[in-house]
Amino acid sequence: MSTSPATTRSPIQTIPIPHEIIEEIETFEDEVARVQSGDTPMDVFKPFRLQYGIYGQRQPDVQMIRIRVPFGGLNANQLRQVAEITDTYATGVGHVTTRQDIQLHFVPLPHVGTVMRKLAEVGLTTREACANTVRNVTACALAGVCPGEVFDVTPYSKAVADHLLRNPLNQSLPRKFKIAFSGCKQDCALTPIHDVGLLAARNAEGTMGFKMVVGGGLGSTPRLAKTLREFVPIEELIPSIEAMLKVFDNLGNRKNRSKARMKFVLDKLGFDEFSKRWKESYDSMIQSGATKVGLIPGLYPDDPPLIMPAKNGNGTSVQSNGHGSSNGSQNGAATSSEAFTAWGSTNVVTQRQAGFKAAALRLRSGDLTTNQMFVLADLAERYANGNIRTTINQNMMVRWIPDNQLAPFYDELVAHGLGDPGAEGVEDIVACPGTDTCGLGITSSKGLARALAEVFPAGKTPDDLKGVDVKISGCHNSCAQHHIATIGLHGVGKRIGDHVAPVYELHLGGQVDGTPKIAQLIVKVPAKNVPAAVQHLLDLYRQTRKEGESLPAFINRTGKVQLKDELIPYTILPSYQDDKEFYFDWEGDEEFSVEDLGPGECAGGALEMIDNRILEAEQELYQARLLVEKHQYAMAINKAYRAVVAGAKAILVTEGIDPNTDADTLKEFDDMIKAKGLLQAEYHNVADKFGDLGTKDASTDFTQSKLTFAKGFIDVCRTVTEQIGQDLKLTPSEVGAEGTAPSTVAPSQPSTAEDPEVYDLRGVSCPMNYVKTKLKLEMMDEGEQLEVWLDAGEPIRNVPMSLRNDGHKVLEQKPMDANEQHFKVLVEKVEG
């Protein structure tokens, strides 16, 4: 709850709610009533709820409410209403997202309709902040005041957001659709990672318009957008976007959710054909009489209109509004000149309008309390023009602060816990809510962000880390945009025996400014090792960098292989018996678990199994090198052998083969690569390459030759596995193998609906049961049926869903026994 007395707060000004919005909210409330009475199943209610911007949380019976904030623009009155709602119906803490929305958590479902009404009273909505719609339209928080902007993109981002909100074209897309506007070449709004990105430009005649890029996105399959039009005149902006939505609506994959984003349409068609389809859609709209929406420059000011502040703030005398003293405001004295200078150097931008500053407020993990919201609303009115912007880095920004009012403005921020330096810098770590509230979260991204404060202390950023950013996502969905960070992390779980540990994939070298680049996955690090691994990376950079070399340049020059070798020691996960601490997440009181995440994607699980075995191989080889340094040659050879076995097991996953012994592993591997024509002949008969592992008389040269062979073998296996997609297929052309031609496998005998072939996979765990089923179906003709027998638990939860995602039909699924320990699943083959 807020600690500020309600009597000192400025009154909230409300407006009548339009009739159609009231009807919309009443529809939602009626559906809530049906759910609570049991008339509507929760599974039916979920997609309906998402359309209204309401998510379920991992905690039962409470909701996350996502408030749309187009271009990040709020006024003080709206922020006060959000604060009041947060205080009354949520937890007293709001969360700013990387899409400039504001999220409220732990709202009971019966209160959601009331929250919607209160938001509508100040011109805000949750509508289409979730679901398969155009999500919140984002823009640079400095738009309109940025010294380097081509022009202010605010009115155009607002116009597009308003045009698409509740637009019939936007109600049932194949998947979510994201749009961003940037006003300068620095591209603060990150247009390359959006379905449609619009970068302000002027043509040779000086006419205003946009460079339009399309097909970007992050998540489990990150893509950078490609340029569709070098210049879109302002009047063609909305029809150009509508034409893109129509292409996506018609051609997007509605069967497989994991391949439904627009980037996959572009992949499937190829860019030339994709562009052609867009042009046909655009021309058809114009020829059918669609109006080129007349967005005339200058007619769309900020909402509310910008008020040019007087030098003392907003043109009125500076008065205390009950939220902190204004002592010293007239002369601009700050409580600490050193602290003020540090804050100003990281959080303040000089506007292109002389005499004014824009100040970013650093919100820790994007969170701020209701009291801080009330304070910020008052300060924005008292020292600026009453407008606030949320930023894509989970902060808030106040613009139009007169130069001579910056110091007292800072004093009041400090008094309310909002004066932290380092906004938008390396210590300002971006983190999604993770397992705090998100139903998809795997790890505690906020907990790790706080743990990394030891590596990146606030206000103490060294000059060599300027421009570096850290982003942490609690799962692969990349809500924190870890793929484009200098240092990006996303959470996964890793099972060792009966226990699962929180682990992070470490991605390095991502960027948008300059030449956009998706970060490379380097290693997987146990959560408790992440701070040490990141510190080692920084130490290595400072020890071996070239003169004037930035961390991103160092990462690019050093390369993935060398960085992985350096970080391998931090990837080792002890057993639960050896160190239980590794099996508790940051700030976690209970042992880590992923049981409440629902069904998993088996293809992803198979890829993770492959990655884990390649990592195991690299860890064994690392230990072999350490043993050589200690002259323990026989032990080093043994470790090199273990590395080879792990590499071979990684390749065998693609065939659904998981032998129990080393001898069987190497035999199956050798048979496979010879039959398929995979790998060079030097990697055939690998068991013979090591000879007697029991020898104690290995020489330095002999041992080194074994390590050299093992390293080459693992490098080849890594190269092979890095080219494997969700289809888990290996082909000689992918691997660049020489010699033996691939063998052909005779298809299975046709199976009819009356007599489907039975495939007994009881006792086979995930994801190998899925891989075996997938391979079996590949040998069948379209329309043939396969009856698969699976165990209860993960197999029956995961395998049918993954087969549906592959496009096959799951015709039947039923228990085989009264205790429901085993299940029959009838699948019909469908060609992809």
Side-chain angles (χ1 to χ4, degrees), residues 182-214:
S182 281
C184 72
K185 291 183 178 179
Q186 194 170 339
D187 203 350
C188 299
L190 312 177
T191 60
I193 63 168
H194 285 77
D195 294 284
V196 171
L198 296 147
L199 188 64
R202 291 184 185 270
N203 64 12
E205 290 75 38
T207 303
M208 292 165 54
F210 293 92
K211 177 181 179 180
M212 184 177 184
V213 297
V214 299

Side-chain angles (χ1 to χ4, degrees), residues 493-782:
K494 183 173 182 180
R495 182 177 295 279
I496 302 291
D498 295 330
H499 302 274
V500 180
V503 170
Y504 281 89
E505 293 191 357
L506 174 62
H507 303 251
L508 297 177
Q511 65 182 49
V512 168
D513 190 15
T515 302
K517 182 181 179 183
I518 297 294
Q520 282 191 300
L521 168 60
I522 306 298
V523 287
K524 295 182 181 180
V525 182
K528 292 301 175 68
N529 277 350
V530 169
V534 172
Q535 185 62 62
H536 180 74
L537 172 69
L538 299 181
D539 292 342
L540 179 69
Y541 160 58
R542 288 169 178 142
Q543 292 164 8
T544 61
R545 65 187 174 193
K546 294 182 177 180
E547 185 176 355
E549 188 174 42
S550 66
L551 179 59
F554 165 79
I555 290 169
N556 187 55
R557 175 178 62 82
T558 305
K560 178 176 179 176
V561 174
Q562 186 175 339
L563 290 169
K564 178 179 280 190
D565 287 345
E566 284 286 342
L567 294 167
I568 282 293
Y570 300 94
T571 66
I572 296 171
L573 176 63
S575 69
Y576 183 81
Q577 291 72 25
D578 289 339
D579 196 337
K580 295 180 181 179
E581 185 66 21
F582 279 80
Y583 295 82
F584 287 74
D585 208 345
W586 286 104
E587 303 178 359
D589 296 326
E590 298 179 355
E591 184 179 340
F592 182 76
S593 171
V594 294
E595 291 180 359
D596 57 349
L597 290 177
E601 170 54 56
C602 291
L607 291 173
E608 184 176 357
M609 179 180 283
I610 293 168
D611 288 345
N612 286 340
R613 290 179 174 180
I614 291 295
L615 177 59
E616 179 186 345
E618 291 165 335
Q619 290 172 340
E620 297 284 6
L621 191 59
Y622 166 76
Q623 293 183 55
R625 290 198 295 265
L626 293 182
L627 290 165
V628 168
E629 293 174 3
K630 297 176 182 177
H631 309 291
Q632 297 182 28
Y633 299 131
M635 291 292 292
I637 291 173
N638 189 284
K639 286 292 183 184
Y641 173 76
R642 298 247 51 85
V644 168
V645 171
K649 287 173 77 72
I651 301 296
L652 289 175
V653 170
T654 63
E655 292 294 299
I657 301 171
D658 193 20
N660 292 324
T661 69
D662 291 352
D664 288 345
T665 294
L666 296 181
K667 181 181 184 303
E668 292 278 7
F669 175 80
D670 209 49
D671 291 346
M672 172 190 169
I673 62 172
K674 288 177 180 177
K676 287 183 171 286
L678 301 173
L679 309 190
Q680 298 89 336
E682 65 183 287
Y683 296 118
H684 295 185
N685 304 314
V686 289
D688 298 338
K689 299 291 195 298
F690 276 85
D692 183 8
L693 290 175
T695 180
K696 296 181 180 179
D697 301 322
S699 66
T700 303
D701 291 344
F702 179 79
T703 304
Q704 197 58 56
S705 70
K706 299 302 182 187
L707 263 67
T708 300
F709 173 84
K711 185 179 186 307
F713 179 83
I714 294 164
D715 286 345
V716 170
C717 289
R718 184 196 302 115
T719 300
V720 169
T721 58
E722 285 177 347
Q723 297 178 43
I724 297 174
Q726 290 283 331
D727 58 6
L728 303 177
K729 290 183 179 179
L730 288 172
T731 64
S733 61
E734 285 178 323
V735 196
E738 301 170 356
T740 314
S743 64
T744 56
V745 181
S748 59
Q749 293 297 315
S751 55
T752 64
E754 292 78 19
D755 184 27
E757 182 179 353
V758 173
Y759 199 20
D760 187 353
L761 294 177
R762 291 174 296 178
V764 181
S765 60
C766 293
M768 298 304 287
N769 44 24
Y770 161 73
V771 177
K772 289 176 178 289
T773 305
K774 182 181 180 69
L775 292 169
K776 193 77 170 178
L777 287 166
E778 286 179 358
M779 293 187 292
M780 299 172 65
D781 293 330
E782 182 163 18

Side-chain angles (χ1 to χ4, degrees), residues 142-160:
L142 286 170
V145 302
C146 174
E149 69 184 1
V150 178
F151 58 83
D152 181 7
V153 299
T154 301
Y156 311 106
S157 57
K158 181 183 185 306
V160 169

Side-chain angles (χ1 to χ4, degrees), residues 73 96 107 139 240 313 449 460-461 497 643 708 752 762 773-774 806 811 827:
V96 177
V107 180
S240 293
K460 299 179 181 179
T461 303
T708 300
T752 64
R762 291 174 296 178
T773 305
K774 182 181 180 69
D806 288 343
L811 304 176
V827 186

Side-chain angles (χ1 to χ4, degrees), residues 356-597:
F356 294 95
K357 296 288 194 293
L361 281 64
R362 182 185 169 204
L363 309 179
R364 298 174 190 178
S365 298
D367 295 342
L368 77 168
T369 66
T370 52
N371 190 52
Q372 289 172 330
M373 292 185 207
F374 283 120
V375 167
L376 181 54
D378 289 349
L379 297 183
E381 286 183 334
R382 198 181 322 153
Y383 291 100
N385 70 342
N387 289 341
I388 302 118
R389 296 279 179 113
T390 57
T391 83
I392 61 168
N393 288 319
Q394 301 179 306
N395 292 316
M396 286 193 167
M397 184 171 287
V398 177
R399 301 112 58 85
W400 296 105
I401 304 170
D403 289 348
N404 66 354
Q405 292 298 302
L406 190 63
F409 175 77
Y410 167 71
D411 287 347
E412 299 220 40
L413 293 180
V414 171
H416 294 90
L418 292 170
D420 285 354
E424 314 277 306
V426 66
E427 67 265 55
D428 190 13
I429 296 171
V430 174
C432 71
T435 50
D436 285 7
T437 54
C438 181
L440 300 176
I442 296 173
T443 55
S444 176
S445 38
K446 285 186 176 182
L448 177 58
R450 287 186 280 269
L452 283 170
E454 296 181 8
V455 182
F456 304 107
K460 299 179 181 179
T461 303
D463 288 342
D464 61 0
L465 295 184
K466 287 185 177 177
V468 170
D469 54 357
V470 181
K471 299 177 185 288
I472 308 171
S473 299
C475 72
H476 70 268
N477 285 315
S478 201
C479 293
Q481 303 169 338
H482 62 269
H483 287 108
I484 55 167
T486 314
I487 300 171
L489 295 140
H490 96 254
V492 297
K494 183 173 182 180
R495 182 177 295 279
I496 302 291
D498 295 330
H499 302 274
V500 180
V503 170
Y504 281 89
E505 293 191 357
L506 174 62
H507 303 251
L508 297 177
Q511 65 182 49
V512 168
D513 190 15
T515 302
K517 182 181 179 183
I518 297 294
Q520 282 191 300
L521 168 60
I522 306 298
V523 287
K524 295 182 181 180
V525 182
K528 292 301 175 68
N529 277 350
V530 169
V534 172
Q535 185 62 62
H536 180 74
L537 172 69
L538 299 181
D539 292 342
L540 179 69
Y541 160 58
R542 288 169 178 142
Q543 292 164 8
T544 61
R545 65 187 174 193
K546 294 182 177 180
E547 185 176 355
E549 188 174 42
S550 66
L551 179 59
F554 165 79
I555 290 169
N556 187 55
R557 175 178 62 82
T558 305
K560 178 176 179 176
V561 174
Q562 186 175 339
L563 290 169
K564 178 179 280 190
D565 287 345
E566 284 286 342
L567 294 167
I568 282 293
Y570 300 94
T571 66
I572 296 171
L573 176 63
S575 69
Y576 183 81
Q577 291 72 25
D578 289 339
D579 196 337
K580 295 180 181 179
E581 185 66 21
F582 279 80
Y583 295 82
F584 287 74
D585 208 345
W586 286 104
E587 303 178 359
D589 296 326
E590 298 179 355
E591 184 179 340
F592 182 76
S593 171
V594 294
E595 291 180 359
D596 57 349
L597 290 177

